[in-house]
Amino acid sequence: MASERTFTLLELNHMVRETIEQQMDGKYWVEAELSDLHDRNHCYMELVENDPFGPTPLAKARAVCWANRWTALRNKFERQTQQQLRPGIKVRMMVTPTFHEAYGFAYQVSDIDPDYTLGDIVRKRMEIIRQLKESGIFDLQRELVLPRFAQRIAVISSAQAAGYGDFCHQIDDNSYGLSFSHELFAAIMQGEQVEQSVIAALDRINARIDEFDVVVIIRGGGATTDMSGFDTLALAENVANFPLPIITGIGHDRDECILDMVSYMRVKTPTAAAAFLIDHLSEVYTALVSARERISRIAERHLAYEKMRLKQLADRIPTLFALTRERQTKRIDALAHRLDSAATQRLERERHRLQLVAQRAQAQDPIHILRRGYSITLHNGHALRSGDELADGDIIETRLEQGTLKSEIRK
């Protein structure tokens, strides 16, 4: 062992470098996941291949892209994928194995395949969409009804975002003069904290749910490629299940993010979100004005018709009165004639009845009995029917046809 040669670290590293340069002098496409990335003019990355069955990575390596190449590759990637290179995404890169005596092994990046990452992003997005649909919540927001008077707005945005300022200016200074109230629930709108921050804002709104009609999630002024935070399952579930309609105006034109897909409505920009709410309320206002005008016109028509009808009735009153008076006069005359005739007939009947009564009374007059030779004995003015009615000394009166006799009883 003592006779064996001993190398310095530099010598050994130099041998490793020469071996790599001789044996692996080409360029290779490699698939990996970014576990770390530092963009400092040059870009320093750490690549990893994870074990699908365990927490320990199967492989790790450093990678570097020099500034003269990095800017072009980064712009190309972001333009095609609408995403930023960041930890957690999968990439396909063209690399050259390099070894430096002082800095060790690293892959030098010369190209990046955006289509590979885009495909992985699409696969992840489709998997999230599949889970949302299977759980039955993908379309829940679109089943909600935006209130007719959606004037109380909860806004989720970064307080410093230019888009938030644009939204406030648009909603407050609308040309219709419509009144809105809005309250900001500040959240981080780019980077890895988007999911937790927006969910926390939704929770704060939900605690005061009765104070708002609609929620607007807007973003503006940030990097248009930094949209990964809006493509997460947890955020999509929170938005889909939220009890108020949610309008998204995140400010990107290319593909919808999952947050857009599950929201009540997606618009392109914060100002478009404000314009939508203004147009919605103006349509309600226009409908109310139109209804008021229709009601007014109908009322005016009814009033005009009733006035005309009353005038016609008023014009007919003299004629109707004359006809009624003539009709009633004839009726009164007929009743008077009938009454006169009835009275005459009644008087005639009563006169005849009185004659009969008089005849009967005359027939019963005691004078007729006296003329036939009879007499009537009276005691105290009453006709005497029995001698037992008299007492000794009573005075009786006997009425004859001619004259009257008085006698005293002796018993």
Side-chain angles (χ1 to χ4, degrees):
M1 294 292 294
S3 63
E4 293 180 0
R5 181 181 173 182
T6 299
F7 297 92
T8 65
L9 180 59
L10 176 62
E11 290 173 332
L12 189 59
N13 280 357
H14 184 71
M15 291 173 60
V16 172
R17 176 177 179 175
E18 288 181 341
T19 300
I20 289 175
E21 290 176 352
Q22 292 172 6
Q23 299 297 322
M24 301 181 69
D25 58 349
K27 295 181 178 181
Y28 302 87
W29 284 106
V30 61
E31 298 175 356
E33 179 180 315
L34 285 175
S35 63
D36 197 9
L37 183 145
H38 297 282
D39 186 353
R40 299 171 181 171
N41 196 16
H42 308 299
C43 182
Y44 301 95
M45 297 167 269
E46 184 173 276
L47 307 180
V48 64
E49 181 177 347
N50 290 312
D51 184 352
F53 306 104
T56 303
L58 298 175
K60 272 187 173 185
R62 291 189 304 110
V64 61
C65 187
W66 304 120
N68 60 349
R69 187 66 180 148
W70 168 241
T71 301
L73 291 182
R74 180 186 59 196
N75 293 342
K76 170 188 172 183
F77 181 87
E78 292 180 353
R79 185 174 59 253
Q80 294 188 31
T81 66
Q82 293 294 296
Q83 298 284 328
Q84 287 183 326
L85 280 163
R86 56 181 173 78
I89 67 172
K90 290 186 177 180
V91 291
R92 180 172 179 261
M93 297 178 171
M94 179 174 285
V95 299
T96 300
T98 62
F99 188 87
H100 189 276
E101 290 84 350
Y103 302 109
F105 181 82
Y107 288 114
Q108 184 175 321
V109 179
S110 58
D111 201 359
I112 301 176
D113 180 8
D115 292 334
Y116 176 85
T117 302
L118 188 60
D120 184 64
I121 292 171
V122 170
R123 282 191 297 273
K124 289 180 178 178
R125 178 181 293 180
M126 293 305 296
E127 175 61 20
I128 293 173
I129 293 172
R130 183 191 65 78
Q131 293 180 55
L132 293 170
K133 289 183 176 180
E134 284 185 355
S135 62
I137 65 173
F138 187 79
D139 295 313
L140 285 183
Q141 272 281 309
R142 282 177 287 278
E143 295 175 5
L144 299 177
V145 177
L146 185 65
R148 287 184 179 274
F149 298 93
Q151 296 173 276
R152 303 175 302 167
I153 309 167
V155 182
I156 298 178
S157 177
S158 169
Q160 292 76 32
Y164 173 60
D166 294 340
F167 174 86
C168 294
H169 175 74
Q170 182 90 351
I171 205 79
D172 291 334
D173 300 329
N174 64 87
S175 58
Y176 299 98
L178 300 173
S179 177
F180 294 87
S181 64
H182 50 85
E183 182 176 342
L184 174 66
F185 291 81
I188 297 171
M189 301 304 288
Q190 63 183 56
E192 297 180 4
Q193 299 181 53
V194 169
E195 177 186 89
Q196 295 84 355
S197 184
V198 174
I199 290 175
L202 287 172
D203 290 340
R204 295 197 301 274
I205 296 170
N206 191 53
R208 298 165 52 194
I209 198 72
D210 294 334
E211 300 178 26
F212 302 101
D213 303 312
V214 64
V215 177
V216 175
I217 300 177
I218 53 177
R219 173 185 183 272
T224 58
T225 55
D226 191 9
M227 304 299 298
S228 58
F230 301 103
D231 275 333
T232 70
L233 178 61
L235 181 55
E237 288 175 336
N238 274 266
V239 169
N241 285 295
F242 204 75
L244 292 180
I246 294 179
I247 299 171
T248 56
I250 299 176
H252 61 109
D253 297 327
R254 186 173 175 176
D255 296 323
E256 287 183 310
C257 63
I258 294 176
L259 187 65
D260 291 326
M261 296 178 186
V262 299
S263 65
Y264 173 81
M265 172 169 287
R266 174 243 180 168
V267 294
K268 290 183 178 180
T269 62
T271 53
F276 171 78
L277 291 172
I278 293 168
D279 290 343
H280 174 76
L281 189 59
S282 69
E283 288 175 4
V284 174
Y285 175 74
T286 301
L288 288 175
V289 171
S290 177
R292 182 184 65 186
E293 292 175 350
R294 287 199 306 272
I295 291 170
S296 179
R297 288 195 299 269
I298 292 170
E300 288 176 357
R301 286 199 298 269
H302 277 289
L303 286 174
Y305 171 77
E306 293 301 329
K307 285 181 180 179
M308 180 183 68
R309 195 167 70 88
L310 288 173
K311 185 178 183 304
Q312 291 174 346
L313 289 174
D315 293 341
R316 291 173 58 192
I317 284 175
T319 303
L320 291 173
F321 177 74
L323 291 173
T324 301
R325 182 176 62 181
E326 182 181 354
R327 189 181 301 117
Q328 294 301 324
T329 299
K330 290 180 179 179
R331 180 170 175 272
I332 291 171
D333 290 344
L335 289 173
H337 177 73
R338 289 170 56 192
L339 182 61
D340 183 63
S341 176
T344 301
Q345 292 176 4
R346 181 68 179 269
L347 287 172
E348 189 63 31
R349 285 196 304 270
E350 293 300 323
R351 186 181 297 112
H352 179 68
R353 190 176 68 81
L354 288 174
Q355 288 175 352
L356 292 176
V357 170
Q359 290 174 1
R360 285 198 300 270
Q362 188 177 9
Q364 295 177 4
D365 192 344
I367 192 64
H368 297 292
I369 299 173
L370 296 176
R371 286 174 181 173
R372 292 198 296 269
Y374 294 98
S375 64
I376 300 173
T377 301
L378 303 174
H379 177 252
N380 293 331
H382 298 287
L384 188 63
R385 295 178 181 275
S386 173
D388 295 337
E389 297 178 12
L390 300 174
D392 189 36
D394 285 342
I395 302 298
I396 60 174
E397 181 180 334
T398 303
R399 185 175 294 179
L400 305 173
E401 179 184 2
Q402 296 180 355
T404 302
L405 301 175
K406 290 186 178 182
S407 305
E408 183 178 348
I409 300 302
R410 293 281 189 250
K411 286 188 176 182

